[in-house]
Amino acid sequence: MKKKDIILIISIIIIAIISYFLFTLGKNEKGSQVIITVDGTVIEKFNLYEDREYTIKNGDHYNILTIKDGYADIIEADCPDKHCVNQKKINKMGEKIICLPNKTIIEIIGADESNIDSIAN
Amino acid sequence: MNSSQKTAYYGIFAALAIIMGWVEMMIPLPVPVPGVKIGLANVIVVMSMYYFDNKTALGISFIRIVISGLLFSGFSGFLYSVAGAILSFIIMVLAKDIIKFNIYSVSILGGICHNIGQIVIASIVVKTNLSIYMPILIISGLITGALIGIIAKNCLTHIKR
């Protein structure tokens, strides 16, 4: 290990830590709404504190979303990688569950945020 | 090495890279984040960068992406791989030849840039900013890149004999 390689690894770790704080800053508050985006368009908006089950459809594909006890979660999907099902349930502002193959995103937002803002983000 | 030997070697390396990509799909990852990969196929790309030259490594990488795109991952998977591979290849060449990092650092940078390239394309595909995953992608790239570097280094000392 030469000196510059050690410097590189240390700076990578520092960048990772800084970016962690940057991206999670101010995102520890609980959100109040769940927005569902399919292929870039917001299709549905739910209150996070009303329990429900909803099937998100994108063409022939589907993801099943449940909202329960103030958490949103995807419990079933027909995508090949199942990342969306395996991701943890979410309830904080800015948290997302993403299903890339089905181009589906569920995201937690606060009460006063408009749809347009959260897309522009 | 004469040209027919070269052809044989390229074929073996490309085949190995495809198999590595296939093996990787069998391994479940503990982190359910889009873009996170072990990058086993990168072992072969890093090895060919050092064993042959950059141009050969690029060719092998390209063949691997096209064939595994056709065989397993389909068009969207192909897009993600291409973006990740191009970005990581450019950075690895810079790190290897311009800054002259050692093989571990080259492979770490390759791993991180591969993850970043994939998440950039993913952001475009779903039309959302996915930068929230950046820290985890950097850290996972660091870990897998280091592992890949160690494997490539050990394999190289054996095949050079």
Side-chain angles (χ1 to χ4, degrees), chain B:
Chain B
M1 220 188 276
N2 64 36
S3 73
S4 55
Q5 273 177 314
K6 266 187 195 162
T7 313
Y9 266 110
Y10 295 172
I12 292 171
F13 271 64
L16 274 173
I18 295 162
I19 292 169
M20 290 292 206
W22 181 68
V23 167
E24 178 169 338
M25 291 198 301
M26 306 284 170
I27 305 172
L29 280 178
V31 242
V33 171
V36 172
K37 279 198 167 171
I38 312 175
L40 278 180
N42 207 34
V43 171
I44 306 298
V45 178
V46 172
M47 277 172 71
S48 32
M49 277 176 93
Y50 282 84
Y51 194 64
F52 307 112
D53 49 50
N54 294 337
K55 220 174 81 186
T56 313
L58 182 65
I60 288 172
S61 175
F62 184 72
I63 290 169
R64 175 193 85 81
I65 292 165
V66 170
I67 293 183
S68 49
L70 286 173
L71 286 176
F72 321 113
S73 54
F75 184 69
S76 65
F78 171 77
L79 261 186
Y80 297 135
S81 311
V82 168
I86 291 175
L87 186 62
S88 83
F89 191 81
I90 294 170
I91 299 294
M92 284 199 291
V93 169
L94 289 179
K96 172 174 161 273
D97 294 337
I98 313 280
I99 321 179
K100 305 217 181 304
F101 280 131
N102 65 16
I103 186 168
Y104 309 112
S105 303
V106 168
S107 142
I108 287 170
L109 284 170
I112 292 172
C113 292
H114 188 267
N115 288 351
I116 291 176
Q118 291 205 324
I119 209 70
V120 167
I121 291 292
S123 293
I124 295 168
V125 168
V126 295
K127 304 184 183 87
T128 311
N129 187 348
L130 302 179
S131 56
I132 190 167
Y133 290 130
M134 216 48 120
I136 195 160
L137 289 173
I138 295 174
I139 291 297
S140 75
L142 178 70
I143 297 167
T144 58
L147 288 174
I148 298 303
I150 293 166
I151 298 172
K153 176 84 181 169
N154 282 314
C155 291
L156 277 173
T157 48
H158 283 286
I159 59 169
K160 270 178 181 160
R161 269 189 212 154

Side-chain angles (χ1 to χ4, degrees), chain A residues 37 62 80 91 108:
Chain A
T37 315
Y62 70 94
N91 73 336
I108 307 288

Side-chain angles (χ1 to χ4, degrees), chain A residues 77-92:
Chain A
D78 65 344
C79 56
D81 58 13
K82 298 280 186 290
H83 279 336
C84 52
V85 181
N86 293 331
Q87 284 180 61
K88 279 186 286 186
K89 55 185 181 180
I90 54 174
N91 73 336
K92 294 195 183 73

